[in-house]
Amino acid sequence: MKLKLTYLMLIAIAFVSCKKTTEVEMSLSNSGKLTYKLTDANGKGLSNVKISLFDHLDSYYASNSILIDERRTDGNGQVDFGDLNPKSYLIVADSAKVNNVNYTVRDYVQVTTGMTKNKETKVTDFSGTLVVKVTSYNTNQPVKNIGVLIIPVNNYEYEQYISKNLANAEFKGVTGENGIATLKIASGKDYVVLLYNTTTLSNLNWGTTSIQKGMTMNYFAGFYQ
């Protein structure tokens, strides 16, 4: 009788153990995984960049979404967010620097049940093309050899000569025969577009602009000669 009772208890314990294991496996199968890597234009990983993970609420702006996690990229430019609920997330990296330019990365990723999402992103892809067209107000004709500086708004200094703004500019160009300078600039940022005389280094005109990722935009400017 004791032997029979012991046997029944062992069966019951085995049954409970199997049930618990099955429940754990089912729980894990309802999630997905996410790793995210940032690189420069040549595919080299960018280390120590803060990456924020937001619950995507159908809004471009991170301030309207819910912050879930923040991590910094490792030596290979990668972060591992581990297990996540299957859904769409917003990735924001606002300190990714390439060639002394800070790029703002806003990227959407989809996590799928039972899958590991490995996303690799070139931060320089978060840019657009700005076509600056310069004319003379006196003749209404295009003007060549006019310098163009693209400066973050917070770094712009209003002054007659441009020595400080030359150092602060993230992108530089010079107009050609058609009075046009074409520059690829970081998207999602506010910039000052400064025109200057390349001989005297004097300030000719300035205005502000910003551009969206992948967008090409014409910027018209002029000055009195």
Side-chain angles (χ1 to χ4, degrees):
M1 184 66 181
K2 289 183 179 180
L3 180 61
K4 184 176 181 180
L5 181 59
T6 301
Y7 178 71
L8 290 173
M9 289 177 64
L10 289 174
I11 293 176
I13 292 171
F15 176 77
V16 171
S17 299
C18 291
K19 184 177 180 181
K20 288 183 178 179
T21 302
T22 303
E23 288 176 351
V24 170
E25 290 174 351
M26 288 178 63
S27 175
L28 290 176
S29 67
N30 288 333
S31 65
K33 294 180 181 293
L34 172 63
T35 65
Y36 197 86
K37 183 176 182 179
L38 289 178
T39 72
D40 63 14
N42 298 316
K44 181 181 178 180
L46 302 177
S47 62
N48 199 35
V49 177
K50 185 179 74 173
I51 296 184
S52 302
L53 179 72
F54 292 87
D55 191 353
H56 175 36
L57 300 178
D58 296 321
S59 173
Y60 177 80
Y61 298 99
S63 59
N64 294 328
S65 299
I66 300 172
L67 178 63
I68 297 175
D69 198 357
E70 284 185 343
R71 305 192 182 193
R72 288 193 173 270
T73 57
D74 61 18
N76 296 316
Q78 184 169 289
V79 293
D80 185 351
F81 286 108
D83 292 315
L84 294 169
N85 292 327
K87 61 175 301 179
S88 179
Y89 293 91
L90 170 62
I91 293 285
V92 176
D94 57 7
S95 58
K97 181 176 286 190
V98 176
N99 295 328
N100 293 320
V101 176
N102 280 316
Y103 287 85
T104 299
V105 175
R106 281 180 167 83
D107 197 12
Y108 297 99
V109 294
Q110 180 69 44
V111 174
T112 305
T113 300
M115 302 289 290
T116 297
K117 177 74 173 182
N118 299 306
K119 182 72 180 289
E120 182 173 320
T121 297
K122 291 182 179 179
V123 300
T124 50
D125 287 344
F126 286 81
S127 58
T129 301
L130 184 68
V131 181
V132 181
K133 300 183 178 182
V134 180
T135 61
S136 166
Y137 289 146
N138 304 84
T139 64
N140 200 31
Q141 295 296 315
V143 186
K144 67 177 181 179
N145 295 328
I146 298 300
V148 180
L149 300 180
I150 310 298
I151 309 160
V153 167
N154 293 337
N155 294 336
Y156 174 68
E157 296 192 31
Y158 183 79
E159 55 182 12
Q160 182 179 358
Y161 297 99
I162 63 158
S163 56
K164 292 181 180 179
N165 285 315
L166 275 171
N168 292 336
E170 289 188 344
F171 304 94
K172 305 173 183 178
V174 178
T175 60
E177 293 288 341
N178 55 2
I180 293 176
T182 302
L183 306 97
K184 187 176 182 181
I185 68 174
S187 58
K189 297 177 63 174
D190 293 323
Y191 283 110
V192 168
V193 180
L194 175 64
L195 305 184
Y196 70 97
N197 186 307
T198 54
T199 302
T200 64
L201 299 183
S202 57
N203 187 338
L204 298 175
N205 194 357
W206 67 275
T208 59
T209 192
S210 63
I211 198 166
Q212 297 179 15
K213 179 186 176 185
M215 179 181 178
T216 297
M217 185 173 69
N218 292 320
Y219 180 93
F220 298 94
F223 63 95
Y224 288 102
Q225 292 179 302

